[in-house]
Each structure stands twice: as C-alpha cells, then as structure tokens.
Amino acid sequence: MRVATILTTAVIAMASMSVSAAELSVRKLDLTAPGGTLVSTMDHVLARAANGAVFEVTGDGSVIDKSGAVQMPEPGPLPLPLVKDGRVAISPDGRIKAWYNSETESYGHGALGDPVEALSLVVQEESGAPAIYTVTADEVFEDLEPRIVDLDREQQGRPEIVAITASSTGGAGIAVFGLGRDSDGNPALLRLASSARIGAPYRWLNIAGIADFDGDGFTEIAYVDRPHIRGELVFLEWRGGRLREQAREGGYANHHGGSTVQDLSEIADVDDDGNPDLILPVRGYGAIVAVSLTPDGPRRIAEVKIPSAPLSSIVSTSPQSAVYLDRDGALYEIRWAP
C-alpha cells in the first residue's frame, strides 16, 4: 500500500509539471573585424564592424562579407525630426512609421545615455499627415523607439503603439496609443491605457517583448522593472483595453545603464509548444535564459552560461537562433532546440 501511494504521488507530481523543455547553446562566430552595430532588415541580419565593413550573419552561423554590396539601413526623410539617438519604428507591412520628436531635458534622468528625452510621439501612415501626441505636465517619453504592435490581434484592425513614459513623481510606466481622427478628421493619437508607474522618480523599466506568451488569446507586454537595480520580469496582459499585471519574477536584466541599446532580448518558440517564449539575460549577465509564461507564472525552460555580456541587440537569424555582439565586438550565436 505504501509503495502504491508513493507511485501514485509521483505520477500526480509528474502530471502537474510542464513537460516543455528546451536546450540553449552558445558559440563564437568568426567575425574578422570587431563589430560595432547589429541590425535586422527585412532580408538580412547585418553586423557593421568598427572599421566600416558590413557582414551578413545567416541562420546557420555563416558570416559573409557584404562590404560594398549591402548598405546598412538608414531612415528616410521625416516630416518631423527624430530626437537624439532615436530610431524609427516601421510596421511589418511598411505602411506605418512611429518615432519620438521634440527634445527636452526637463526630466534629467539619463538612463539612455544623456538627459535628452522626448515630449512627442509621432505616427505616420504611408505618406499621409503625421499624428502627434504631446505629453503634458511633468511627463516625458523615456524611450528611443516606439513599438508598433496589434495588441488586439484583429485581422482587419489597426495596430497600437506601445511606449515607455516617465514622470518626476512616479517614475516610468507603459502607455498604449491608438490611431484615430480628431474632430476635424485629421490623423490623431489617442491614449488608450497606461500601466501603474514604478512609484518613484528616476526609476525606469525596459520592455523586453510583446506577444501572447501564454497562448490564451490575449497579448502580454513583458518588461524588466528597474533592470539596473531590481531586475524583475513583469508580464502585463492587454485585455478589454486595459493593462493588468499578470506575473512577476526577479533575476533578470535587459539594459546596461547609459546605453542606447534597448533590445537585449528576443522572442521565439524555444520549446516548440506553439507559444512564444522570451529569451533574455539574467541579472549579472552570466547566462541567457528562455522563459515561458505558465498559469503558475514565469518558468525558466532553458539556460546557458555565456562568456561575456551582450552589448548589442539580440537579433534572431532563424527560428532556432539569434546573435549578439559583446563589449569587445565579438559575435556570438545562441541556438535552441526542444
């Protein structure tokens, strides 16, 4: 009877555990000159070396010299200028652009390298007139590139714009904007929702990824709360036009203080269960992990120690791989398999 009880308990325990599992590995790729920039275009992942050479990085880990044959992407002309170090977001279909405009030093935090922040979010559909949202009172955009995402996942719907804001009273938070029209019929941005702020000035968060991480049909915004000093991974669920905190777990990082690089993370279905997972470093940058969002909260499904911390964006090169540059410009590939 005791043996039967033990076996029954073990079976129940095994049934309650997620069977999803995966493996991560890392290797150094052969980049003939130290890299300085890593970007993803519609067709290529490109590494620009400090000496100006341009290399294509493929999904099998090949590094091909493309100097003179491929140009690094540059933003085209804009009706309103970018803020310092800002980047233009472009929707997957290429029809919508979003960027930050109107510089200010009123907040003076410097999490992204200097005290310059933005007062305005600009969104332009194709070649139409831009829609502009300007914050008021003590608020700024403490962010360099907005995110154009269809949070509602409507087949014919228009995407939302996700941004990081900050205030001198409450610190950072996340805001969601929608495209609409004003009373005169001109393009306008509507503030649809805002998350709770961290609660103190000069406390920042960095968005890590946006997807339906738990497969329930609703989109989550994942971010790291205070990546330099606290390192909590938070999942906000977008449901019914509101943001609700769904889960939180400590031990992560996705930004180096003072850096203009915000993309130290990537999204992929690492364990091949049909749901996207989040790939990002742990606090201290000694390892990179893959995290699934389960009914019980975040769960690390794979981990690999890394020889040095990512300094560039982490960029997917295939459904099973991504690459990054470290502080010395060395190129590393992360691979995963269920």
Side-chain angles (χ1 to χ4, degrees):
M1 180 63 70
R2 178 174 173 78
V3 172
T5 301
I6 293 172
L7 288 174
T8 301
T9 303
V11 169
I12 292 173
M14 290 176 65
S16 67
M17 294 171 59
S18 170
V19 297
S20 296
E23 293 184 358
L24 289 175
S25 61
V26 63
R27 62 171 175 161
K28 188 176 181 179
L29 300 182
D30 185 18
L31 189 64
T32 56
T37 307
L38 192 65
V39 298
S40 178
T41 70
M42 296 295 291
D43 304 311
H44 310 279
V45 174
L46 301 175
R48 180 166 57 195
N51 64 5
V54 176
F55 300 88
E56 180 183 356
V57 187
T58 67
D60 63 1
S62 299
V63 181
I64 306 167
D65 192 340
K66 292 286 186 175
S67 301
V70 175
Q71 298 295 320
M72 297 292 281
E74 297 290 343
L78 300 171
L80 295 168
L82 273 167
V83 294
K84 183 177 181 290
D85 297 320
R87 295 179 290 271
V88 179
I90 302 176
S91 62
D93 62 7
R95 296 178 58 188
I96 300 174
K97 295 179 180 179
W99 67 95
Y100 295 116
N101 167 256
S102 187
E103 295 180 352
T104 180
E105 296 187 16
S106 60
Y107 187 52
H109 183 200
L112 293 166
D114 57 45
V116 176
E117 312 295 353
L119 291 174
S120 297
L121 169 65
V122 183
V123 179
Q124 184 181 34
E125 294 190 79
E126 297 183 305
S127 58
I132 305 169
Y133 185 96
T134 301
V135 294
T136 58
D138 67 343
E139 195 174 29
V140 298
F141 290 102
E142 194 171 14
D143 201 9
L144 293 177
E145 182 178 347
R147 297 140 200 89
I148 305 172
V149 186
D150 186 3
L151 295 179
D152 298 319
R153 305 172 71 191
E154 299 171 345
Q155 285 189 340
Q156 303 300 325
R158 304 173 85 185
E160 286 74 37
I161 315 299
V162 181
I164 302 171
T165 66
S167 81
S168 59
T169 55
I174 291 173
V176 177
F177 298 85
L179 288 162
R181 297 281 174 175
D182 63 18
S183 58
D184 296 323
N186 299 313
L189 282 172
L190 311 174
R191 191 164 187 162
L192 304 178
S194 300
S195 72
R197 295 197 179 278
I198 290 174
Y202 309 124
R203 295 295 180 263
W204 187 64
L205 61 84
N206 190 31
I207 293 174
I210 303 175
D212 179 10
F213 289 104
D214 56 5
D216 66 352
F218 297 96
T219 302
E220 287 83 33
I221 301 171
Y223 70 87
V224 178
D225 178 353
R226 287 161 281 187
H228 316 129
I229 59 176
R230 190 176 184 93
E232 289 187 334
L233 178 61
V234 182
F235 289 88
L236 293 180
E237 184 183 65
W238 173 257
R239 186 187 294 222
R242 295 185 178 183
L243 293 170
R244 177 186 67 88
E245 184 174 318
Q246 182 172 341
R248 179 183 291 258
E249 180 180 70
Y252 301 91
N254 68 338
H255 184 260
H256 301 286
S259 172
T260 59
V261 177
Q262 292 182 250
D263 301 322
L264 298 187
S265 56
E266 188 54 280
I267 297 171
D269 185 3
V270 173
D271 55 3
D272 200 26
D273 68 349
N275 293 329
D277 307 302
L278 188 63
I279 301 167
L280 76 168
V282 300
R283 285 201 70 191
Y285 296 94
I288 285 177
V289 296
V291 179
S292 286
L293 181 59
T294 75
D296 297 322
R299 174 175 175 259
R300 294 188 186 185
I301 58 172
E303 180 171 346
V304 63
K305 292 182 179 180
I306 53 177
S308 55
L311 190 65
S312 74
S313 301
I314 298 175
V315 180
S316 287
T317 51
S318 79
Q320 294 82 35
S321 60
V323 291
Y324 69 86
L325 296 165
D326 72 0
R327 292 182 182 277
D328 297 321
L331 180 65
Y332 288 91
E333 178 190 66
I334 312 159
R335 298 196 72 86
W336 51 86

